[in-house]
Amino acid sequence: MNPKRRNAVLLASTFVAASAVTGIAPSAQAAPQACTYQAAHLPVPAGIKSGVVKATGGAEVYAGEVEFPEDDSLEHAVLWSGGRMTDLGPAAGADFDLSVSDVNSKGTVVGHGAKITGVVEGFPTWSWFPVRSRDGKLEQLPVPAGSHDVQTRVITENGDIYGEGYGSNPNYTEVYKWPADQAGTVVKLPGLPRGSRVEGVDADGTVAITAEEAPAGTWRPYLWKDGTAKPLAIPAGAANASVTGISNGVVVGDALDADFNPSAVMWNKDGKVTALPNGQRTTAVNSKGLILGTNKRLVASLWQLSASAGAAPSDGVVTTLGDDGTLVGSKARPGATFPRFPAVWRCG
């Protein structure tokens, strides 16, 4: 594990372990019947030492990362589509690391790799750069002049790609779009607050944003469409809020107290914010209103809109969910507890 990834994992662990924000009353709603999930491993390239599914495009389309024993710093991206596995290889031009961000139903995978840019006091410095799949391998996407640490986040059904990076102001991220109908181009989205990062894109083109304002120490949720960003309501009792996903008009995220302790929330299509019962954090939401996150005991959990739908499968690590309710992530092979390999959980 490289230093940057290790620091990210430690930060995430600290953040998840924080206590929840109080003062937001959940709405009354009958709890849906929980699924009985059945796990299945996906086929993988021969000889890998571990792997994970990171994204799903629905209709048996998945994307993830695998590691090989002889070169654990250059992960390969893998696409699973229609029962066929494609090893897309490492990020073209990367010195280490690969992060798969998303995949659409057509099987186009997006992500980012890391390039070493120098050495400071004996430690390497690096910058992220964006990639997408084409013709069975990963290729670099263009970046705006003067930008660095550019990462992808989402690819839409029509092939538009969204992400963020650092531009003219090195202290704040700005949001970029790679339009599907303008191959080889990248544009900066107008009308967004500084420090914006993409958390999801809805089918109608609405972009869910979290904006981090460093001097003020604030995190603010926004929805952006057609050049205009509109703030989402900060939950009662919270000092800040962040977004983690959007689908079919429903936005999920976390309310944050003054110490950034999280509590899981959702905003409905009218912008009303509701606490998720016993929810600590959110991860994703699908178009049917199924929400993935963790409860206050840090157990992977599900909600159907504002009603609890029980625990997620505990026999592996779930990363996200699809529109058909399929959960994806990684799971150890039978008879072992580690390492984990790409897996999906389907509702039985």
Side-chain angles (χ1 to χ4, degrees):
M1 181 181 291
N2 67 68
K4 189 164 188 176
R5 178 178 296 173
R6 179 164 53 250
N7 290 342
V9 170
L10 290 173
L11 178 60
S13 299
T14 301
F15 192 60
V16 168
S19 60
V21 174
T22 59
I24 313 168
S27 64
Q29 183 173 331
Q33 185 174 358
C35 278
T36 299
Y37 284 96
Q38 302 295 325
H41 280 108
L42 295 176
V44 293
I48 72 164
K49 71 174 187 180
S50 64
V52 62
V53 184
K54 297 285 289 292
T56 173
E60 300 294 319
V61 177
Y62 311 106
E65 306 151 13
V66 297
E67 293 186 61
F68 288 85
E70 67 273 13
D71 194 354
D72 62 3
S73 65
L74 276 173
E75 298 92 339
H76 288 210
V78 176
L79 168 69
W80 295 270
S81 180
R84 179 187 174 192
M85 177 203 70
T86 303
D87 182 352
L88 300 171
D95 291 315
F96 63 90
D97 250 2
L98 167 71
S99 180
V100 168
S101 305
D102 201 11
V103 63
N104 64 11
S105 66
K106 299 176 180 65
T108 302
V109 179
V110 296
H112 37 275
K115 182 74 175 175
I116 293 175
T117 56
V119 177
V120 175
E121 296 181 352
F123 294 94
T125 58
W126 58 85
S127 180
W128 292 104
F129 61 88
V131 296
R132 58 156 285 170
S133 66
R134 186 191 299 272
D135 299 328
K137 62 182 180 180
L138 299 177
E139 64 178 15
Q140 292 191 28
L141 289 166
V143 299
S147 66
H148 66 94
D149 277 315
V150 179
Q151 305 180 37
T152 65
R153 298 298 179 194
V154 176
I155 181 167
T156 65
E157 278 302 286
N158 75 340
D160 289 336
I161 302 168
Y162 293 80
E164 72 271 345
Y166 293 90
S168 56
N169 188 327
N171 297 311
Y172 296 96
T173 53
E174 53 191 27
V175 174
Y176 305 131
K177 177 183 178 181
W178 293 265
D181 60 357
Q182 301 174 41
T185 64
V186 57
V187 296
K188 177 183 173 181
L189 291 193
L192 280 168
R194 66 182 185 179
S196 292
R197 67 174 187 263
V198 178
E199 305 292 1
V201 181
D202 213 345
D204 67 352
T206 299
V207 183
I209 296 289
T210 299
E212 298 181 30
E213 174 57 64
T218 59
W219 289 27
R220 293 289 184 263
Y222 290 87
L223 296 181
W224 178 95
K225 189 177 182 183
D226 298 330
T228 301
K230 297 181 179 179
L232 287 168
I234 300 295
N240 296 278
S242 62
V243 176
T244 57
I246 182 173
S247 188
N248 197 25
V250 174
V251 181
V252 296
D254 303 325
L256 306 166
D257 70 10
D259 295 320
F260 287 84
N261 298 316
S263 180
V265 297
M266 60 158 277
W267 292 264
N268 68 12
K269 295 180 180 181
D270 297 323
K272 179 183 177 182
V273 61
T274 303
L276 300 184
N278 198 36
Q280 176 95 325
R281 296 201 67 186
T282 58
T283 302
V285 59
N286 71 9
S287 64
K288 311 298 192 303
L290 184 65
I291 299 168
L292 173 67
T294 55
N295 67 16
K296 293 177 181 178
R297 298 183 65 183
L298 309 184
V299 174
S301 301
L302 297 164
W303 293 265
Q304 182 61 47
L305 296 177
S306 59
S308 174
S314 60
D315 55 341
V317 176
V318 178
T319 56
T320 191
L321 77 166
D323 261 357
D324 60 356
T326 298
L327 307 176
V328 304
S330 60
K331 181 182 184 299
R333 288 169 174 165
T337 57
F338 195 82
R340 298 187 180 98
F341 296 90
V344 299
W345 290 261
R346 298 180 178 91
C347 184

